[in-house]
């Protein structure tokens, strides 16, 4: 669990990559527009797609602009139970006292807190949630007193997982899928993503994407980190095919 205001913007980038910038991709701009509508409507949203495509970064960056003081982010790395979610929300919302022992009392407490003022609850890695967990989220959102928007963010199978829960999926206001960047977008975005690529040849950026990047921001963060290491060791400034070949050797990519 992470309180929103405790998250440094640099932590949004994979590896905390120094010098990395948030790039205004089509997906990021769509996320910002969609979240603005969801927050205003106090609705639910599902952001889904394969790992490393920038889902969490886009949601974080957008909500910092739209509703930074109202956002509470929860995240799970394994399959949580409703009890886990209740306790994580108890901590994230700064509830006082001891957590209630009874689920009914616990839910009443959470709803009382969530009725105090507008809030945006972001549930990352939502593909791990069970039917009972989704029912808890729906129960909190359905209560007329609560004043919340809920954003589910999850991996490639998150869409299928939520769609299997019709009581919840019917309440999702916006569905947004993240996909790999096409190559023509990569060569435009990557020079703005990190200064190391600003003076690189377009053909070399495309070459790196073909062999290792594959339109995936997380992969590009790794490429960039290794490229910075190579340039420092060789006392060079601009990446070229020789540098990229060395990078590929570390990533397990092809060397042709």
């Amino acid at each position: 669990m992470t309180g929103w205001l405790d998250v440094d913007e640099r932590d949004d980038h994979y590896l905390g990559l120094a010098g990395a910038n948030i790039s205004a991709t089509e997906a990021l701009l769509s996320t910002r527009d969609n979240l603005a509508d969801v927050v205003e409507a106090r609705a639910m949203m599902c952001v889904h797609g394969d790992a490393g495509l920038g889902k969490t970064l886009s949601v974080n960056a957008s909500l910092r602009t739209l509703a930074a003081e109202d956002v509470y982010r929860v995240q799970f790395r394994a399959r949580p139970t409703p009890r886990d979610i209740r306790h994580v929300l108890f901590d994230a919302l700064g509830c006082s006292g001891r957590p209630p022992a009874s689920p009914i009392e616990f839910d009443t407490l959470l709803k009382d807190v969530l009725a105090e003022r507008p809030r945006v609850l972001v549930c990352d890695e939502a593909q791990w949630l069970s039917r009972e967990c989704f029912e808890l989220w729906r129960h909190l959102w359905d209560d007329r007193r609560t004043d919340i928007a809920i954003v589910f963010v999850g991996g490639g199978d998150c869409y299928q997982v939520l769609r299997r829960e019709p009581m919840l999926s019917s309440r999702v206001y916006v569905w947004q899928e993240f996909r790999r960047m096409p190559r023509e977008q990569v060569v435009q975005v990557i020079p703005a993503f990190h200064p190391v690529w600003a003076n690189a040849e377009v053909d070399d950026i495309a070459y790196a994407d073909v062999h290792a990047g594959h339109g995936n921001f997380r992969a590009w963060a790794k490429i960039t980190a290794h490229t910075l290491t190579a340039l420092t060791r060789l006392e060079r400034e601009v990446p070229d095919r020789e540098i990229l070949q060395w990078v590929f050797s570390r990533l397990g990519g092809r060397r042709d």
Side-chain angles (χ1 to χ4, degrees), residues 42 70 72 93 113-121 147-149:
R42 301 292 185 266
D70 300 326
Y72 296 81
L93 295 168
V113 174
L114 293 172
E116 292 173 352
R117 63 181 179 86
R119 288 182 173 88
V120 182
L121 305 181
D147 191 8
I148 57 176

Side-chain angles (χ1 to χ4, degrees), residues 174-190:
V174 175
W175 300 84
Q176 181 177 346
E177 180 182 10
F178 271 64
R179 298 184 178 183
R180 295 176 183 271
M181 289 184 292
R183 192 130 310 125
E184 57 270 21
Q185 187 176 7
V186 168
V187 298
Q188 294 176 346
V189 167
I190 293 305

Side-chain angles (χ1 to χ4, degrees), residues 66-142:
L66 295 169
E69 299 299 323
D70 300 326
V71 176
Y72 296 81
R73 180 171 174 263
V74 297
Q75 184 174 16
F76 305 97
R77 294 298 184 185
R79 296 191 179 277
T81 64
R83 180 180 183 277
D84 295 328
I85 294 176
R86 290 185 177 100
H87 280 269
V88 166
L89 286 174
F90 183 91
D91 292 336
L93 295 168
C95 299
S96 59
R98 296 176 61 85
S102 163
I104 294 177
E105 293 177 358
F106 211 144
D107 290 351
T108 298
L109 170 64
L110 291 176
K111 286 186 284 188
D112 286 344
V113 174
L114 293 172
E116 292 173 352
R117 63 181 179 86
R119 288 182 173 88
V120 182
L121 305 181
V122 179
C123 178
D124 212 345
E125 304 295 348
Q127 71 274 8
W128 292 113
L129 301 184
S130 65
R131 172 171 295 178
E132 291 76 17
C133 291
F134 282 128
E135 278 299 298
L136 174 57
W137 285 109
R138 183 180 69 83
H139 177 67
L140 295 175
W141 185 82
D142 271 351

